[in-house]
Amino acid sequence: MDPSLDTWDFSPLISLWIHRFYIYWGFAFGISLWICFQIVIRKQDKTSQEKSLSKATRDLVTNGYISLQEKEVFVSGVKIFYGSQTGTAKGFATILAEAVTCLGLPVAIINLKEYDPDDHLVEEVTSKSVCAFLVATYTDGRPTESAEWFCKWLEEASIDFRFGQTYLKGMRYAVFGLGNSAYASHFNKIGKNVDKWLWMLGAHRVMTRGEGDCNVVKSKHGSIEGDFRAWKTKFISRLRALSKGEKKSCGGNCKKGRCKSSQHGSEEMEPGSPAQDGLHQRDTEEEEPFASTSEEDSSTEDHQSLSSVVDVEDLGKIMNHVKKEKREKEQQEEKTSLFRNTVKNEASERRAMITPALREALTKQGYQLIGSHSGVKLCRWTKSMLRGRGGCYKHTFYGIESHRCMETTPSLACANKCVFCWRHHTNPVGTEWRWKMDQPEMILKEAIENHQSMIKQFKGVPGVKEERFEEGMTVKHCALSLVGEPIMYPEINRFLKLLHECKISSFLVTNAQFPVEIKNLKPVTQLYVSVDASTKDSLKKIDRPLFKDFWQRFLDSLKALAAKQQRTVYRLTLVKAWNVDELQAYAELVSLGSPDFIEVKGVTYCGESSASSLTMANVPWHEEVVRFVHELVDLIPNYEIACEHEHSNCLLIAHKKFKIDREWWTWINYNRFQELIQEYEDSGGSKTFSAEDYMAKTPHWALFGASERGFDPKDTRYQRKNKSKDISGC
């Protein structure tokens, strides 16, 4: 054994080896303590930095500085474009501008007639403005005159490859269309087209297209004003969100401008994104745009990932997302079902024909409105005859006492929108009765009361004759020709019966679009049919009817008129350059309906109206009307010219059966008519009578060619005419 080994002492090493675990623990504890110390130090540094940054931000705000994020402007203003014919869209533009102003945003109202899209529309791409388009649909689905050029340019640009599908990328817009669902084939056509054309050029729709409906029956909110208010509320809400930088639009499942998933609140696609660019690769010839959103893309990706290899850690997230989508879908279906039920319940309750806006407009025109669909108004000839200054042409032709005539209607609605409508199309339109209905007893009672109330206002007025004032308080005649289509009223026969029971004669005018109703109509004193044109094309141009089969209805109405045994009348309104050159066609229509009388009257110019293009140039001179009547009579051998009322620019052609012993009997024996109608009612309708049974002799002064020219010699106007040769009228 080596003695040198005894000199080495290994006991310390052995001790360390034995206690090595304590050493390891000590090292580990020290390292852990160091790590904890470092974490605390770093947290303190981070907190200190955040406090410093927050203080610096406050200092910037205090000193009048704002951050770059706060400097960004998301909406620089709003531009409201309108295309209006009757002024409704223009009025809505003003209302919308007031609402936008309340948000503190600059706003501009622009008439599309004064806007050049070729020069300025592309500027909206970078202007950060939101453009609102309020556009109306006019006759036959055409744009209004003010929007005609804009729509033509937009349509051509949308299909022109030189503009491309990204020409308006970055422009933000919303559309509200104005129309009438009674014209079902082109309801809100212009609003839909403008929406589509802007979309095809790459512009971004910020909200669902609104559709205003003048038809109160089908309007979602009871009137076009209500439809606009609902859309305006959504637009302002959307504008407020855009101003804050929120990038949430309609869900994007938008077909034909209608949002189906707005509740999802998906993010708005950024211009230039693949999804957005992909939209424009779709066929531009499709009827309406269909847009997708980033939410759809993300959902698709998630669902696709389920069919591929999935990490177990990600599976839970995917399943949660699927469950969330399912819940949202169920909630959406529940809301849709609730909405449909609400609409169904609203539809079951018929709405009033007279909306608040319509009531205001008609009241300004002097109407006394009755119930929910009727009205009465004092005729100017009633006022004239109260003052002894002559009556209307019905006084000359048929012996009506104009100061005892009540002009009324049980239906303000009409099936036409004639270019010469003297009410400027303020009344509603429709093809069938879908409104609330008032009882005829109430209508007649209030009509007489309102008429008498208006007569009372002339008591003590200079020139009013006391005896005529007293007579005027008792209604003897009723002209159902005020406005609209009286024959549309479902209880028109009951209303006529009530008139006759009150010893009031009935003069009913229809626009020849309801042949069945004419056939079922009970006897009236005199039944009129408006024959405003003699060919299909001219009738469509002048009357602008709602019915697609308007021409057949027109012909059937004339045939139904021929079967009537009481007095029947064709009423021709001559519009120069529109319907005065179709004499042979008029003659053929006369042979079809065989009327007792034909009134030929020059159109009355009622002043400039945005709803009509007529001017004074379309009003024929009296000599021109006389010439037309002479030429027409030459083509209808059984008729002759009987009477004339020069002041009304009107002549009466009568069937020769009313010329007895070379004397005309065009006037009416009203007392005899009341006796005959009473016998008819008492017999249950079996005892009929004809027009010849209650005719009366026409006075000489009313005849065509008389020196009085239709002026009653008892009237002060005729006496003044003889003295001063002035026939300027009342």
Side-chain angles (χ1 to χ4, degrees):
M1 183 176 180
D2 187 356
S4 63
L5 294 174
D6 294 337
T7 61
W8 292 93
D9 185 5
F10 293 99
S11 57
L13 295 175
I14 294 172
S15 177
L16 288 173
W17 177 253
I18 293 173
H19 299 92
R20 65 185 182 277
F21 294 106
Y22 295 101
I23 296 172
Y24 296 159
W25 182 85
F27 275 112
F29 178 75
I31 293 172
S32 300
L33 191 64
W34 181 81
I35 291 173
C36 291
F37 180 76
Q38 291 297 322
I39 290 173
V40 171
I41 292 297
R42 290 183 180 182
K43 282 187 176 182
Q44 289 178 347
D45 291 342
K46 187 176 180 180
T47 302
S48 177
Q49 290 175 0
E50 289 177 351
K51 288 182 178 180
S52 299
L53 182 61
S54 177
K55 182 179 179 182
T57 302
R58 287 196 301 269
D59 290 342
L60 286 172
V61 173
T62 303
N63 293 326
Y65 297 98
I66 56 175
S67 65
L68 292 176
Q69 184 178 359
E70 290 174 328
K71 279 185 177 180
E72 185 175 357
V73 176
F74 297 102
V75 177
S76 62
V78 176
K79 293 183 179 179
I80 304 173
F81 300 86
Y82 71 87
S84 182
Q85 190 71 27
T86 61
T88 305
K90 182 179 180 181
F92 286 170
T94 303
I95 295 172
L96 183 61
E98 293 174 355
V100 172
T101 303
C102 294
L103 298 180
L105 292 172
V107 61
I109 301 177
I110 302 171
N111 186 349
L112 288 173
K113 186 177 183 179
E114 303 169 355
Y115 185 78
D116 189 348
D118 204 15
D119 292 337
H120 302 295
L121 194 59
V122 72
E123 298 173 0
E124 309 307 331
V125 172
T126 57
S127 68
K128 290 190 176 182
S129 295
V130 175
C131 300
F133 293 87
L134 311 182
V135 287
T137 300
Y138 198 41
T139 307
D140 295 330
R142 294 185 290 105
T144 60
E145 293 178 4
S146 61
E148 195 169 2
W149 164 245
F150 177 83
C151 291
K152 179 179 172 61
W153 182 92
L154 199 61
E155 180 181 16
E156 292 176 351
S158 67
I159 57 177
D160 191 336
F161 71 93
R162 293 171 296 180
F163 285 90
Q165 298 172 344
T166 59
Y167 181 70
L168 296 180
K169 184 188 291 184
M171 174 182 171
R172 295 176 292 180
Y173 76 94
V175 175
F176 180 81
L178 294 83
N180 193 318
S181 59
Y183 295 89
S185 59
H186 47 254
F187 171 56
N188 257 313
K189 183 178 179 180
I190 300 304
K192 295 174 183 176
N193 284 342
V194 169
D195 187 17
K196 178 178 70 174
W197 295 329
L198 289 170
W199 182 88
M200 290 173 64
L201 288 170
H204 176 69
R205 182 195 306 118
V206 299
M207 65 174 290
T208 308
R209 181 182 69 246
E211 293 186 351
D213 192 353
C214 290
N215 186 354
V216 297
V217 176
K218 293 187 177 181
S219 170
K220 291 182 179 179
H221 303 90
S223 66
I224 192 171
E225 292 81 12
D227 296 333
F228 173 71
R229 284 193 297 270
W231 179 85
K232 182 192 71 173
T233 300
K234 294 179 182 178
F235 179 78
I236 294 301
S237 176
R238 181 77 186 107
L239 196 60
R240 188 179 290 110
L242 289 172
S243 300
K244 296 178 181 178
E246 297 179 14
K247 294 184 178 180
K248 290 185 178 181
S249 63
C250 63
N253 298 324
C254 299
K255 190 169 184 179
K256 295 187 179 181
R258 299 187 178 279
C259 183
K260 297 183 179 179
S261 60
S262 59
Q263 287 78 6
H264 292 314
S266 61
E267 286 193 356
E268 176 183 294
M269 284 184 294
E270 295 293 336
S273 67
Q276 177 73 8
D277 291 340
L279 294 178
H280 298 287
Q281 295 173 7
R282 304 178 69 94
D283 186 1
T284 59
E285 293 181 0
E286 64 183 11
E287 181 181 354
E288 291 287 343
F290 180 89
S292 62
T293 63
S294 58
E295 181 183 59
E296 287 183 311
D297 296 340
S298 63
S299 300
T300 304
E301 292 174 359
D302 288 341
H303 288 299
Q304 287 177 346
S305 65
L306 289 174
S307 61
S308 57
V309 179
V310 179
D311 194 323
V312 176
E313 293 180 359
D314 295 331
L315 184 60
K317 296 179 180 179
I318 295 174
M319 293 306 297
N320 288 335
H321 182 74
V322 172
K323 290 179 180 179
K324 181 180 178 181
E325 283 189 335
K326 185 177 180 180
R327 285 195 303 270
E328 290 176 344
K329 185 177 181 180
E330 290 174 350
Q331 292 174 358
Q332 175 65 14
E333 290 177 350
E334 183 178 352
K335 291 179 179 179
T336 303
S337 177
L338 180 62
F339 174 76
R340 287 175 180 171
N341 291 335
T342 302
V343 172
K344 187 176 180 180
N345 292 334
E346 289 179 354
S348 63
E349 298 179 3
R350 293 195 171 190
R351 294 169 177 169
M353 181 189 294
I354 304 176
T355 63
L358 179 60
R359 183 177 296 275
E360 181 181 358
L362 293 177
T363 301
K364 287 181 179 179
Q365 295 179 30
Y367 286 84
Q368 296 293 319
L369 300 178
I370 304 166
S372 63
H373 54 75
S374 308
V376 63
K377 187 178 182 182
L378 204 62
C379 175
R380 73 182 185 96
W381 289 107
T382 300
K383 305 172 188 177
S384 173
M385 204 161 190
L386 284 172
R387 302 171 67 185
R389 301 181 65 188
C392 65
Y393 71 89
K394 291 187 183 72
H395 171 63
T396 301
F397 296 169
Y398 316 117
I400 272 186
E401 298 175 88
S402 301
H403 64 297
R404 303 183 68 182
C405 181
M406 175 178 69
E407 191 175 25
T408 186
T409 181
S411 170
L412 291 165
C414 188
N416 291 343
K417 300 190 77 173
C418 305
V419 295
F420 52 76
C421 178
W422 61 311
R423 303 305 182 191
H424 300 307
H425 306 149
T426 50
N427 57 306
V429 293
T431 56
E432 60 181 331
W433 192 272
R434 290 188 175 184
W435 302 276
K436 290 180 181 179
M437 189 182 72
D438 301 325
Q439 294 304 306
E441 292 82 1
M442 183 274 288
I443 297 174
L444 180 57
K445 178 177 177 292
E446 293 196 16
I448 293 175
E449 290 176 353
N450 281 309
H451 177 79
Q452 291 173 336
S453 177
M454 290 184 286
I455 293 290
K456 287 179 182 178
Q457 296 175 12
F458 283 84
K459 188 173 183 179
V461 173
V464 172
K465 294 184 176 297
E466 185 176 352
E467 66 277 9
R468 290 196 176 181
F469 177 81
E470 295 299 330
E471 290 174 348
M473 292 300 294
T474 302
V475 178
K476 186 177 180 180
H477 315 287
C478 180
L480 294 166
S481 59
L482 177 61
V483 70
E485 182 65 82
I487 209 169
M488 281 182 69
Y489 177 49
E491 295 292 342
I492 185 63
N493 281 325
R494 279 179 59 197
F495 185 80
L496 291 170
K497 183 179 179 181
L498 291 171
L499 280 174
H500 299 152
E501 288 176 354
C502 296
K503 305 302 179 184
I504 300 174
S505 64
S506 51
F507 290 75
L508 189 147
V509 180
T510 176
N511 290 314
Q513 289 296 296
F514 296 91
V516 175
E517 286 74 6
I518 293 176
K519 182 179 179 181
N520 296 332
L521 190 69
K522 288 188 175 182
V524 296
T525 308
Q526 190 156 282
L527 178 60
Y528 288 77
V529 167
S530 293
V531 181
D532 300 326
S534 57
T535 65
K536 183 178 180 179
D537 291 339
S538 58
L539 187 68
K540 182 179 180 181
K541 182 180 179 182
I542 293 174
D543 279 4
R544 298 187 291 194
L546 271 67
F547 286 107
K548 291 182 179 179
D549 58 340
F550 67 92
W551 182 245
Q552 189 59 50
R553 284 177 168 271
F554 178 74
L555 297 178
D556 290 344
S557 295
L558 300 186
K559 294 176 184 177
L561 192 76
K564 291 296 178 181
Q565 294 181 321
Q566 291 74 47
R567 295 166 64 105
T568 56
V569 184
Y570 275 10
R571 187 171 68 174
L572 276 62
T573 302
L574 299 185
V575 185
K576 202 171 179 180
W578 287 63
N579 63 354
V580 296
D581 301 320
E582 305 164 348
L583 284 164
Q584 185 58 47
Y586 277 117
E588 293 173 1
L589 293 180
V590 170
S591 63
L592 184 64
S594 302
D596 295 321
F597 305 98
I598 305 170
E599 293 177 3
V600 183
K601 184 178 186 298
V603 67
T604 300
Y605 181 64
C606 301
E608 183 179 355
S609 169
S610 55
S612 174
S613 59
L614 293 186
T615 66
M616 279 299 296
N618 299 115
V619 180
W621 293 95
H622 186 63
E623 291 77 9
E624 293 174 309
V625 175
V626 173
R627 187 186 315 120
F628 177 92
V629 169
H630 275 295
E631 293 175 356
L632 179 60
V633 167
D634 290 339
L635 300 175
I636 46 178
N638 293 325
Y639 295 84
E640 291 183 7
I641 305 175
C643 302
E644 176 185 27
H645 192 262
E646 188 179 48
H647 181 81
S648 296
N649 199 10
C650 185
L651 280 83
L652 179 69
I653 302 172
H655 196 282
K656 290 181 180 179
K657 66 183 178 182
F658 292 95
K659 193 173 186 179
I660 303 173
D661 296 331
R662 298 184 179 182
E663 292 183 323
W664 283 110
W665 290 64
T666 65
W667 276 35
I668 298 173
N669 186 334
Y670 295 101
N671 292 331
R672 180 56 181 156
F673 171 79
Q674 295 299 340
E675 293 172 0
L676 292 170
I677 198 67
Q678 186 61 52
E679 293 174 3
Y680 170 86
E681 294 292 347
D682 292 342
S683 66
S686 61
K687 188 173 183 179
T688 59
F689 56 96
S690 66
E692 295 93 322
D693 293 334
Y694 57 101
M695 61 183 180
K697 186 178 178 180
T698 310
H700 180 270
W701 59 263
L703 299 178
F704 176 71
S707 59
E708 293 86 355
R709 309 291 294 273
F711 295 97
D712 191 335
K714 294 181 293 185
D715 296 331
T716 57
R717 185 179 59 190
Y718 172 73
Q719 297 166 5
R720 188 174 64 251
K721 167 185 173 291
N722 281 345
K723 292 179 180 179
S724 63
K725 303 299 182 182
D726 175 19
I727 56 169
S728 59
C730 56

